[in-house]
Amino acid sequence: MAFPELFERFAVEVLPLGVSDGTHLRFQSVARFVTARAGDAPFRGNGKDQIAFVASGSTKLVAQASQGREQVVAFHFAGDLVSIPSSTAHAYSLCALEDCELVYFPADKFLALAQEESGMVAEVLTRALRALERCREKTVALGRKTAQEKLASFLVTMNDRVGAVEGNQQEMSLPMSRKDIGDSLGLTIETVSRQFSELRSLGLIETQGRSGIRLLDLEGLKARAGHVLAAA
Amino acid sequence: MAFPELFERFAVEVLPLGVSDGTHLRFQSVARFVTARAGDAPFRGNGKDQIAFVASGSTKLVAQASQGREQVVAFHFAGDLVSIPSSTAHAYSLCALEDCELVYFPADKFLALAQEESGMVAEVLTRALRALERCREKTVALGRKTAQEKLASFLVTMNDRVGAVEGNQQEMSLPMSRKDIGDSLGLTIETVSRQFSELRSLGLIETQGRSGIRLLDLEGLKARAGHVLAAA
DNA sequence: AACCCACATTGATTTAGATCAATGCACGAT
DNA sequence: ATCGTGCATTGATCTAAATCAATGTGGGTT
């Protein structure tokens, strides 16, 4: 995709309707366009906060802990806006799961420009609150769930986010490896694999190759995910 | 504290300078004022997102998982703004650690009003991004750290947030119990207690009664926290 | 179509932290 | 001041998941 088209995709998703041409142009002038191959880490924390828009493909935001341990903090798909912090207790890097097209902005300039258009800050705020909500749900899983509950809730969440394949509502193709899933759920590859096998033998899922997954019993999975809905 | 004073504290902290009188009044008209005693859960998820401002005291945001397991998603102190989600996979409740004064807003009305003043949305966005950053750091701890690293990073973080007692930079009084700390770090009370003892015997901290903690060696604690800073 | 290699699965063993069980102590109530 | 209760500490045992160790397999490459 050519750069102008890339930026247009960002504009359509994130800039509110009726944004002024001036703002539009100023955003474009601070944007940096990057294409990344699967496995690349096009961005590493470099002391300045950044904001990335995922125009196509999918990414993971990874934090490094000591001794080579890694924690996947979030996965992102086309249309997502990612805030990448830099002055935190852990180094973060954004990493492509599949080939990706990304639009980068320095966070300070992005936020300053956003303030020119009131609807724009609101849009970014909405997205930030959604990201916060997802992060909190992940916190619950990491802190208080068993391996099986973690994987079950992961699959239910991903089913919502990556959407259906070829019309079947409960069929999806996951771009991340077992290692990525483990690093996201605080588990090892082996435990993830064993839980996949377990869910398979319980008749809740079917796998096809390395990335194909069909949820045979969404309600059953939710029941095993340890969710507790708010009382009405 | 009387309600007008309570609201004023919110206005000073969150409303940007020079906000119009009209907006100021409209905010006040949708606000609900609540005082809570230590241990109270003045707010339980009820189907509508809410925003709470902590005027005084401190709170925890707790998510329920199945079988009575609880995860503390965040702690809050005077001056903090909390977003309380409702339609998530887990039921959340805000709970007072000490006697508290709170100002509640329905999230939809709060956000609509915020858009009347561009600086206001920006302020809320800044706070949301800070909350997101904290939540991500917590994710790293929960997913990839040992009990000792979890407690060490918790203490370092709290030292930043609750600040100093009586001039001593590294002395603080924590409002939360061992149970709360465990529910925040994904550990049991016993493990938290054992790690307190361990850090004590390593000469890194000193405890005084149930809530007093002195960090004797902040650098030593950070070294045991498993942090990995971004390379310059 | 056959090959290769990284990824995934399965099995055996170990271990960090949970659970079960007393004991100790802080701090508010009397 | 003392008392009693709930919180914290310490100890013994158990277990879910990690680690160590092969073996299998999907999917890209030639």
Side-chain angles (χ1 to χ4, degrees), chain B residues 40-81:
Chain B
D40 285 359
F43 177 80
R44 293 189 176 283
N46 61 358
K48 304 192 92 173
D49 290 355
Q50 302 242 11
I51 291 187
F53 175 75
V54 182
S56 72
S58 53
T59 62
K60 57 178 176 179
L61 182 63
V62 185
Q64 259 184 277
S66 56
Q67 293 156 29
R69 293 170 294 181
E70 296 196 333
Q71 175 66 38
V72 171
V73 159
F75 293 113
H76 314 92
F77 303 95
D80 285 351
L81 202 59

Side-chain angles (χ1 to χ4, degrees), chain A residues 22-221:
Chain A
T23 301
H24 194 288
L25 280 172
R26 280 191 286 282
F27 264 108
Q28 189 155 10
S29 76
V30 297
R32 213 179 91 222
F33 301 92
V34 177
T35 59
R37 307 299 306 268
D40 286 359
F43 177 81
R44 294 191 175 280
N46 60 358
K48 306 193 90 172
D49 290 354
Q50 302 241 10
I51 290 188
F53 175 75
V54 182
S56 72
S58 53
T59 62
K60 57 178 177 180
L61 182 62
V62 185
Q64 260 184 277
S66 56
Q67 293 155 27
R69 292 171 293 180
E70 296 197 332
Q71 175 66 37
V72 171
V73 159
F75 293 112
H76 315 93
F77 303 94
D80 286 352
L81 203 58
V82 191
S83 139
I84 308 163
S86 62
S87 47
T88 43
H90 304 91
Y92 287 86
S93 53
L94 190 70
C95 187
L97 297 171
E98 326 164 77
D99 294 356
C100 274
E101 296 171 302
L102 301 164
V103 185
Y104 279 95
F105 303 89
D108 51 358
K109 288 182 185 164
F110 183 96
L111 295 174
L113 279 177
Q115 288 188 56
E116 292 186 2
E117 304 276 338
S118 77
M120 173 90 202
V121 196
E123 169 66 24
V124 176
L125 174 58
T126 302
R127 285 165 177 265
L129 288 175
R130 196 154 55 225
L132 177 58
E133 199 169 287
R134 281 210 195 96
C135 192
R136 284 170 168 172
E137 293 285 294
K138 190 186 187 74
T139 289
V140 180
L142 288 172
R144 287 285 176 245
K145 290 192 182 179
T146 64
Q148 187 162 124
E149 290 170 334
K150 285 177 180 180
L151 185 59
S153 35
F154 171 78
L155 292 175
V156 171
T157 303
M158 280 303 141
N159 188 52
D160 274 353
R161 292 189 73 192
V162 312
V165 163
E166 62 179 64
N168 187 324
Q169 208 56 45
Q170 269 72 47
E171 194 164 349
M172 55 187 171
S173 175
L174 291 183
M176 67 290 282
S177 68
R178 297 292 187 263
K179 169 101 166 42
D180 292 328
I181 296 173
D183 285 345
S184 169
L185 299 178
L187 300 171
T188 59
I189 311 176
E190 294 94 327
T191 299
V192 171
S193 184
R194 274 185 255 271
Q195 291 308 326
F196 262 109
S197 301
E198 181 71 14
L199 292 179
R200 225 181 280 126
S201 74
L202 286 165
L204 295 170
I205 64 170
E206 237 172 44
T207 55
Q208 188 167 307
R210 280 175 190 166
S211 61
I213 293 174
R214 180 179 306 196
L215 309 188
L216 298 174
D217 178 0
L218 190 57
E219 289 314 308
L221 272 177

Side-chain angles (χ1 to χ4, degrees), chain B residues 81-128:
Chain B
L81 202 59
V82 191
S83 139
I84 308 163
S86 64
S87 47
T88 43
H90 304 91
Y92 287 85
S93 53
L94 190 69
C95 187
L97 297 171
E98 326 164 76
D99 293 356
C100 275
E101 296 171 302
L102 302 164
V103 185
Y104 279 95
F105 304 88
D108 51 359
K109 286 182 185 163
F110 183 96
L111 295 174
L113 279 176
Q115 289 187 56
E116 291 185 2
E117 305 275 337
S118 77
M120 173 89 202
V121 197
E123 169 66 25
V124 176
L125 174 58
T126 303
R127 285 166 176 265

Side-chain angles (χ1 to χ4, degrees), chain B residues 150-164:
Chain B
K150 285 177 179 179
L151 186 59
S153 37
F154 172 78
L155 293 174
V156 170
T157 304
M158 280 303 140
N159 188 52
D160 274 352
R161 292 188 73 192
V162 312

